[in-house]
DNA sequence: TAGGTACCAG
């Protein structure tokens, strides 16, 4: 900002401060320093009697990121003033539209005006469609481009990553390298790291790290932070810690990434230690940091520490707790079996509890067999959002936990009436650089028969040492023997059986699952880690479970 | 004549 004031002062001194060229120069300087200089930029823009395309472009650009609605209002004003847009205008307008996820008619307008063949405009369109979730449109623009620059590839890869299509992002990155016309930079690699985080594939994680150093890419704070997060999501918190230790410069996001990683890996005490160490290094925690610390307390059963951290948000840091912090507290109390306290906490919340808060409480009811409370909580959820399949599964599990099969069947009927189906469990595993997908109850894998046979023999050998299949979590009221075989087909069991068949050495088995692991599978994995002398790491929807020598890192507290 | 797009991490 200082250089703008100096420039303005010089213009005032020489009497050129109202000269159109001087105003343009000032406006440009302000636009380059956005968002700090936005109000100043607006006042200069207002001084220009007849703003031309360049002036409009500059002011639209300056607001595209931080005040996208204002950018769009300026674009309308531009049209009303009869000032024509040019090929510079649209990338800025598209950026604003991407932020607001609006403006689907823009493509036809710029097509009509003949700006659709400009690479910057096309890149803007890819980014815009990607942000709005219209991947097909983004891909169409990308594929039809006669020439692509680094930003075109980067935009399309980011589109895939942002929308959860990890493999597609990686495949495109590979295609880009095969085409070989552009050289990857730190920006594009950040999207690739994010794609690998979605997949949770450690082999790929190690590869991208090597790629970064082989290609001499600058190890920026954001790239380092993304790697800390990625390794944690790939199930290797040790590697996250190594990257963290090697980073010369860190910021609050880096510390938070590590704290969150430690929390979901069940290393609660270390997460708390890092939180206090971070403060000693002079970094102020933000809302995300607090969420990580509270998750650590919750998963570690650290009730009093959790209370202390929660209260410090307001008392020490002067921040207002967000709904997710209240959610963490409900989880903390509920997990610890303090259901009455959890209810009191929800009743005393200064904000209206959302369905997530109630759902958290419902989960606690399942873990501690609080049937009446679960029924009341489910009613509360129904008032807010009655179509969430997971809630029915939880309620069904409460009834199953105490053998109330008639009520359990009632839950099934109610799901049928509302046409709600249970999302199938799905587990992924990397075997010899190939990802295998297992879906509960699905026998499409080419080696399904041998996997199933091996799984049956596994279950038999685990039963010998004390494993008893727990049938209470099976959703429907079916015969006992059938229930047992339904459990036998849970996707994570199939994935682990497959890994044991494939891996002849003693390497760690790593599985990624879309839903929470059930009690029976959790018990099965503990026995399997002992009997087969294997470390098994499962990433479920909430956290990581490290099974080793008959026990789990979550200490059965998840 | 100037001005441009992607990533922006937790």
């Amino acid at each position: 900002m200082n250089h703008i004031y100096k420039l303005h002062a010089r213009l005032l001194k020489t009497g050129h401060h109202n000269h159109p060229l001087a105003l343009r120069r000032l406006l440009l300087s302000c636009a380059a320093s956005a968002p700090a200089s936005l109000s100043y930029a607006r006042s200069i823009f207002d001084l220009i009697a007849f703003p031309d395309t360049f002036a409009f472009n500059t002011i639209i650009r300056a607001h595209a990121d931080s005040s996208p609605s204002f950018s769009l209002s300026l674009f309308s004003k531009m049209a009303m003033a009869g000032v024509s847009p040019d090929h510079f205008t649209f990338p800025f307008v598209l950026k604003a539209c991407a932020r607001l996820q609006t403006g689907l008619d823009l493509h036809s307008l710029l097509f009509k005006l003949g700006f659709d063949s400009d690479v910057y405009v096309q890149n803007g369109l890819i980014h815009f469609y990607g942000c709005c979730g219209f991947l097909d449109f983004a891909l169409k623009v990308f594929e039809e481009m006669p020439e692509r620059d680094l930003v075109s590839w980067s935009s399309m890869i980011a589109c895939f990553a942002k929308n959860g299509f990890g493999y597609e992002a990686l495949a495109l990155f590979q295609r880009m390298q095969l085409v070989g016309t552009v050289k990857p930079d730190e920006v594009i690699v950040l999207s690739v790291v994010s794609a690998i985080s979605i997949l949770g594939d450690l082999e790929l994680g190690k590869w991208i790290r090597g790629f970064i150093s082989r290609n001499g890419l600058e190890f920026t704070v954001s790239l380092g932070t993304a790697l800390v997060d990625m390794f944690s999501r790939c199930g290797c918190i040790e590697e996250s810690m190594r990257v963290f230790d090697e980073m010369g410069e860190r910021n609050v996001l880096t510390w938070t990434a590590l704290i969150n990683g430690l929390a979901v890996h069940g290393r609660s005490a270390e997460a708390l230690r890092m939180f206090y160490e971070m403060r000693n290094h002079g970094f102020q925690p933000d809302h995300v940091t607090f969420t990580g610390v509270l998750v650590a307390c919750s998963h570690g059963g650290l009730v009093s520490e959790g209370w202390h951290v929660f209260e410090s948000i307001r008392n020490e840091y002067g921040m207002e707790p967000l709904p997710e912090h209240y959610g963490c507290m409900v989880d903390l109390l509920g997990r610890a079996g303090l259901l009455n306290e959890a209810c009191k906490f929800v009743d005393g919340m200064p904000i209206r509890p959302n369905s997530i808060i109630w759902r958290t409480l419902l989960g606690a009811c399942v873990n501690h067999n609080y049937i009446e409370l679960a029924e009341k909580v489910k009613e509360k959820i129904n008032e807010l959002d009655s179509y969430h399949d997971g809630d029915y599964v939880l309620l069904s599990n409460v009834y199953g936990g105490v053998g109330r099969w008639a009520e359990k069947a009632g839950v099934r009927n109610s799901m049928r009436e509302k046409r709600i189906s249970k999302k199938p469990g799905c587990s992924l595993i990397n075997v010899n650089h190939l990802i295998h997908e297992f879906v509960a109850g699905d026998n499409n894998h080419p080696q399904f028969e041998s996997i199933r046979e091996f799984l049956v023999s596994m279950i038999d050998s685990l039963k010998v040492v004390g494993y008893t299949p727990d049938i209470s979590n099976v959703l429907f009221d079916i015969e006992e023997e059938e229930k047992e075989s339904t459990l036998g087909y849970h996707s994570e069991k199939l994935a682990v059986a497959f890994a044991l068949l494939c891996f002849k050495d003693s390497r760690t088995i790593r599985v990624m699952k879309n839903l929470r692991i059930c009690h029976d599978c959790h018990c099965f994995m503990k026995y399997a880690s002992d009997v087969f002398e294997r470390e098994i790491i499962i990433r479920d929807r909430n956290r990581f479970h490290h099974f080793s020598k008959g026990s789990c890192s979550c200490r059965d507290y998840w």
Side-chain angles (χ1 to χ4, degrees):
Chain A
M1 277 300 281
N2 273 346
H3 65 285
I4 300 173
Y5 290 129
K6 276 183 194 161
L7 180 63
H8 200 182
R10 203 165 62 234
L11 291 168
L12 282 168
K13 210 170 164 183
T14 52
H16 288 107
H17 57 287
N18 274 332
H19 191 280
L21 281 178
L23 287 173
R24 275 164 188 239
R25 210 172 144 200
L26 263 177
L27 187 62
L28 201 56
S29 290
C30 291
S33 313
S37 54
L38 282 186
S39 57
Y40 197 29
R42 280 198 296 269
S43 60
I44 293 168
F45 181 76
D46 289 340
L47 288 175
I48 302 174
F50 299 103
D52 59 0
T53 304
F54 175 79
F56 269 109
N57 286 352
T58 310
I59 194 84
I60 290 172
R61 170 196 170 203
H63 290 85
D65 243 336
S66 48
S67 314
S69 315
F70 188 68
S71 278
L72 295 192
S73 68
L74 283 163
F75 183 55
S76 307
K77 207 170 158 186
M78 186 177 180
M80 283 188 285
V83 180
S84 313
D86 64 5
H87 59 289
F88 284 98
T89 318
F90 285 100
F92 309 139
V93 176
L94 282 166
K95 196 176 181 179
C97 288
R99 286 223 164 256
L100 298 166
Q101 304 197 349
T102 182
L104 285 173
D105 48 349
L106 207 61
H107 196 163
S108 57
L109 174 68
L110 59 89
F111 176 76
K112 262 186 237 160
L113 296 172
F115 295 123
D116 61 319
S117 52
D118 182 279
V119 175
Y120 284 82
V121 174
Q122 289 163 340
N123 292 344
L125 274 170
I126 295 169
H127 175 64
F128 163 68
Y129 282 132
C131 288
C132 297
F134 293 104
L135 271 175
D136 291 352
F137 289 170
L139 200 57
K140 190 169 185 309
V141 175
F142 178 82
E143 293 298 355
E144 288 176 359
M145 285 174 83
E147 271 179 54
R148 302 179 188 103
D149 64 8
L150 181 61
V151 180
S152 321
W153 290 96
S154 178
S155 304
M156 196 59 231
I157 290 168
C159 266
F160 280 129
K162 227 182 283 179
N163 287 281
F165 292 88
Y167 290 120
E168 288 76 2
L170 281 169
L172 197 63
F173 185 59
Q174 195 179 31
R175 190 175 134 197
M176 182 191 101
Q177 286 170 277
L178 285 172
V179 172
T181 47
V182 293
K183 200 175 167 295
D185 66 356
E186 292 80 9
V187 174
I188 205 162
V189 165
L190 213 48
S191 288
V192 176
V193 170
S194 146
I196 297 172
S197 299
I198 297 165
L199 300 172
D201 190 314
L202 185 59
E203 296 298 312
L204 288 171
K206 286 180 178 166
W207 163 77
I208 195 69
R209 199 185 172 189
F211 183 94
I212 292 165
S213 57
R214 277 195 305 279
N215 287 275
L217 297 178
E218 196 191 340
F219 202 70
T220 55
V221 182
S222 56
L223 194 48
T225 305
L227 287 176
V228 169
D229 179 57
M230 179 198 73
F231 278 121
S232 147
R233 287 177 197 265
C234 292
C236 195
I237 190 67
E238 290 77 16
E239 203 57 41
S240 290
M241 287 154 87
R242 253 194 295 279
V243 174
F244 182 87
D245 288 338
E246 285 168 12
M247 285 174 72
E249 192 191 339
R250 301 171 193 131
N251 62 20
V252 62
L253 282 86
T254 322
W255 284 89
T256 305
L258 189 64
I259 290 168
N260 273 330
L262 289 165
V264 294
H265 280 274
R267 296 168 70 153
S268 308
E270 284 165 87
L272 268 176
R273 205 167 51 239
M274 291 308 280
F275 173 62
Y276 293 119
E277 206 177 308
M278 169 187 142
R279 296 197 312 179
N280 290 341
H281 278 80
F283 291 101
Q284 283 293 308
D286 66 12
H287 284 119
V288 189
T289 321
F290 285 121
T291 309
V293 181
L294 290 173
V295 166
C297 295
S298 167
H299 285 273
L302 309 170
V303 178
S304 57
E305 288 86 346
W307 268 120
H308 175 73
V309 171
F310 180 76
E311 278 161 359
S312 77
I313 298 175
R314 193 179 281 136
N315 300 340
E316 262 182 68
Y317 296 95
M319 291 155 65
E320 205 43 48
L322 295 180
E324 51 261 44
H325 301 133
Y326 288 100
C328 286
M329 285 309 289
V330 176
D331 192 47
L332 171 83
L333 298 167
R335 261 177 218 281
L338 305 168
L339 270 293
N340 288 334
E341 274 194 54
C343 289
K344 253 190 246 167
F345 182 83
V346 173
D347 287 338
M349 276 171 55
I351 51 171
R352 189 167 175 241
N354 57 24
S355 59
I356 301 170
I357 300 269
W358 291 117
R359 198 162 286 139
T360 307
L361 199 53
L362 185 61
C365 293
V366 178
N367 280 343
H368 300 283
N369 289 328
Y370 276 63
I371 296 174
E372 285 75 22
L373 183 60
E375 287 167 337
K376 278 186 207 155
V377 171
K378 181 68 179 78
E379 277 171 30
K380 289 279 185 194
I381 297 176
N382 284 348
E383 289 168 19
L384 298 164
D385 163 22
S386 65
Y387 289 92
H388 192 274
D389 64 322
D391 301 332
Y392 293 87
V393 175
L394 285 177
L395 191 62
S396 152
N397 290 348
V398 181
Y399 290 129
V402 291
R404 281 166 60 170
W405 304 113
E407 281 97 333
K408 197 174 164 79
V411 177
R412 179 180 60 164
N413 289 337
S414 147
M415 280 180 88
R416 198 182 287 146
E417 277 163 23
K418 290 186 174 163
R419 295 173 181 239
I420 297 168
S421 52
K422 182 184 176 291
K423 199 190 294 166
C426 168
S427 292
L428 302 175
I429 186 160
N430 183 335
V431 171
N432 301 329
H433 310 296
L434 209 65
I435 311 293
H436 294 257
E437 184 182 64
F438 293 93
V439 179
D442 175 11
N443 58 3
N444 278 334
H445 194 281
Q447 286 159 265
F448 183 80
E449 261 320 301
S450 53
I451 298 167
R452 194 194 58 82
E453 248 173 60
F454 183 66
L455 185 52
V456 170
S457 74
M458 268 182 89
I459 292 172
D460 284 340
S461 54
L462 299 187
K463 277 180 177 173
V464 174
V465 290
Y467 165 64
T468 318
D470 172 6
I471 51 172
S472 63
N473 275 356
V474 179
L475 186 61
F476 304 133
D477 184 18
I478 43 181
E479 294 299 320
E480 297 295 303
E481 210 175 305
E482 210 183 314
K483 278 177 198 162
E484 234 183 80
S485 78
T486 308
L487 286 170
Y489 288 78
H490 266 185
S491 62
E492 55 270 56
K493 286 206 192 91
L494 289 166
V496 168
F498 179 58
L500 282 170
L501 276 175
C502 295
F503 298 155
K504 297 302 169 204
D505 54 15
S506 61
R507 81 184 79 165
T508 301
I509 297 171
R510 295 168 186 277
V511 175
M512 282 85 72
K513 207 198 162 188
N514 62 338
L515 305 174
R516 268 186 72 181
I517 186 168
C518 77
H519 279 94
D520 178 66
C521 284
H522 195 267
C523 184
F524 172 94
M525 296 302 165
K526 285 199 289 183
Y527 278 106
S529 70
D530 199 27
V531 170
F532 294 90
E533 296 178 348
R534 287 301 184 98
E535 199 169 327
I536 302 169
I537 299 179
I538 298 188
R539 171 173 111 173
D540 79 3
R541 206 186 53 201
N542 284 353
R543 60 168 294 151
F544 283 88
H545 298 265
H546 294 240
F547 299 95
S548 174
K549 296 183 181 123
S551 59
C552 178
S553 60
C554 76
R555 292 173 292 136
D556 303 335
Y557 194 83
W558 84 96

